[in-house]
Amino acid sequence: MESISRYGTPPTRLISMMKSFEYPFRNVRAGDRFAVLTDDQMDPLIWQAMMAALHARGAEACLCLYPKRAYHCADPSPIAVGAAKEADVVIALTTTALNSGTPGLRQIRSEGGAKGKTPIWLWEEINQEILIEGGGASTEDDIREMCEIQRRMGEICDAGKTITVTTPGGTDLRADISGYPEGALARRWGAIPFERDAETGRFGLSPGTWPFGEFHVEPRGGTANGVVVWDHTGQFPAGQWHEPVTVRIKDGHVTEISGGHEAAQIREYLKAYGDENSLVVGGEISIGTNRKCPPYTGNMRSEKKRYGAMHFGIGHGADRGEVVSKLRYEGICDRVTMIVDDKHVLAEDGVILV
């Protein structure tokens, strides 16, 4: 973010940016149908470079550009949802977060595509600096290292029953993580991203976020208890915060959000755009694994993948499907310590140990 704040985003950066698409698009074939969803706040050079990279590989790519949504997790334009249903892959290149919890995105995921589900690759809130110099510059070796770390964490959590998370900033949370299908977390988080399904030949089973790099587990409903401190940024208000935000949780529900100006803005944001389930802890407990994502960017797309940082979400999740809410909200906790079953230390003070 420092280069952007100093020098802006010159169109000549297209020269360097094109290289950042090599890894995620390495398996794109002629005839693949892509719907690229974006909004009028996204840097045009990024969607132009993405369209060019897809076209160069022979893909049929359609850009759906619409006004920026009012809040994170709001549905795309209904017209864009219609176009996305015709695609083999949807890429979310928006400045507000998209995920499977919104009605339109649930339609896309459940209709069309491989095995009845359309993959959605999440690239929201991305910028040139992330792509060229940050986590988007990850190599194949970097990705394989992240997947192996994530697989090992998945194996421990698959066999575990509880997780405890603490941070120097004051986070102290405990939750039940049991109940996943056997081996589910190791398979999901150990999978190489942007791969084609060996059975169908189509994209669909592998992850597709860029920058890559996180492991997450979702607590069982009603079991999360304690305090989470979002240290220095979240989905709203955007940018680097001046005061941390404290979230108190009892039996899987947020009971209090306190702090300074940022906390007040979050409370108003949830009141304006959320619903009662937006305060349920259904979202993820996640740790970033990407060493190329720098600290203190104030950008969630990068911070949530940053090695040793946790993004913690309230509202609907992505795994268990037990909570359906209008809004999911995520914030960043720094330098996490994660312990499973009070004995298996996944990470200590932001250093992953497995």
Side-chain angles (χ1 to χ4, degrees):
M1 296 298 291
E2 185 62 26
S3 293
I4 290 175
S5 65
R6 288 188 178 191
Y7 308 115
T9 56
T12 49
R13 290 293 270 167
L14 181 70
I15 298 169
S16 299
M17 196 189 310
M18 291 298 292
K19 187 172 181 60
S20 64
F21 295 101
E22 288 182 0
Y23 183 86
F25 290 170
R26 71 194 186 283
N27 289 320
V28 173
R29 299 174 184 168
D32 287 339
R33 299 171 299 172
F34 281 80
V36 179
L37 309 188
T38 194
D39 60 50
D40 59 2
Q41 186 67 35
M42 176 54 63
D43 183 346
L45 201 68
I46 295 177
W47 58 254
Q48 290 168 15
M50 177 175 284
M51 294 291 285
L54 290 170
H55 179 69
R57 299 193 68 85
E60 180 69 27
C62 175
L63 182 77
C64 301
L65 173 64
Y66 49 84
K68 179 183 177 180
R69 304 290 91 172
Y71 58 95
H72 291 283
C73 303
D75 263 336
S77 163
I79 301 172
V81 172
K85 290 179 182 179
E86 301 298 320
D88 298 314
V89 177
V90 177
I91 301 181
L93 190 67
T94 48
T95 57
T96 54
L98 292 175
N99 55 58
S100 58
T102 65
L105 270 293
R106 284 199 296 268
Q107 289 180 32
I108 295 170
R109 284 199 185 273
S110 63
E111 298 175 17
K115 293 190 175 180
K117 292 187 177 182
T118 303
I120 301 177
W121 294 355
L122 301 177
W123 297 45
E124 317 102 297
E125 301 177 90
I126 208 161
N127 60 37
Q128 291 186 27
E129 200 159 7
I130 292 171
L131 285 170
I132 297 168
E133 299 171 354
S138 298
T139 65
E140 181 177 354
D141 287 343
D142 295 329
I143 299 296
R144 291 190 177 279
E145 178 187 15
M146 288 182 239
C147 289
E148 180 57 22
I149 291 171
Q150 292 164 194
R151 183 192 63 77
R152 293 197 296 265
M153 287 193 285
E155 287 182 342
I156 294 171
C157 289
D158 278 327
K161 297 185 181 302
T162 63
I163 192 167
T164 303
V165 185
T166 59
T167 67
T171 294
D172 189 351
L173 180 76
R174 187 175 179 88
D176 182 340
I177 58 170
S178 64
Y180 277 97
E182 185 177 354
L185 294 171
R187 285 194 302 272
R188 177 179 180 182
W189 299 108
I192 299 293
F194 308 107
E195 292 281 85
R196 303 185 84 101
D197 187 316
E199 181 181 333
T200 66
R202 304 176 68 181
F203 292 107
L205 297 181
S206 63
T209 59
W210 200 248
F212 184 74
E214 70 171 272
F215 168 82
H216 90 226
V217 62
E218 292 180 8
R220 293 188 73 123
T223 70
N225 284 281
V227 177
V228 170
V229 178
W230 289 322
D231 293 297
H232 53 83
T233 197
Q235 288 177 327
F236 179 88
Q240 194 69 28
W241 293 352
H242 294 281
E243 299 173 277
V245 174
T246 298
V247 183
R248 299 192 181 279
I249 299 162
K250 182 175 175 56
D251 297 333
H253 286 75
V254 174
T255 60
E256 182 184 7
I257 297 175
S258 61
H261 292 295
E262 289 86 358
Q265 288 179 276
I266 292 169
R267 290 195 299 268
E268 288 301 311
Y269 180 77
L270 290 167
K271 181 179 178 181
Y273 300 115
D275 56 15
E276 61 181 12
N277 282 345
S278 298
L279 294 175
V280 175
V281 180
E284 63 262 27
I285 298 169
S286 174
I287 184 168
T289 59
N290 193 320
R291 299 176 188 272
K292 290 188 174 178
C293 293
Y296 303 117
T297 64
N299 181 295
M300 281 295 289
R301 174 49 46 190
S302 179
E303 292 288 343
K304 68 194 298 182
K305 307 297 181 178
R306 178 164 57 84
Y307 179 90
M310 174 177 75
H311 70 270
F312 176 81
I314 60 175
H316 61 256
D319 295 338
R320 297 186 188 268
E322 295 175 352
V323 177
V324 177
S325 62
K326 183 179 178 184
L327 180 69
R328 178 169 77 193
Y329 184 90
E330 297 176 351
I332 298 296
C333 307
D334 213 2
R335 292 166 51 193
V336 299
T337 294
M338 286 186 174
I339 304 175
V340 174
D341 291 343
D342 298 320
K343 58 183 178 180
H344 301 293
V345 182
L346 301 186
E348 185 173 7
D349 198 24
V351 178
I352 296 173
L353 299 179
V354 299

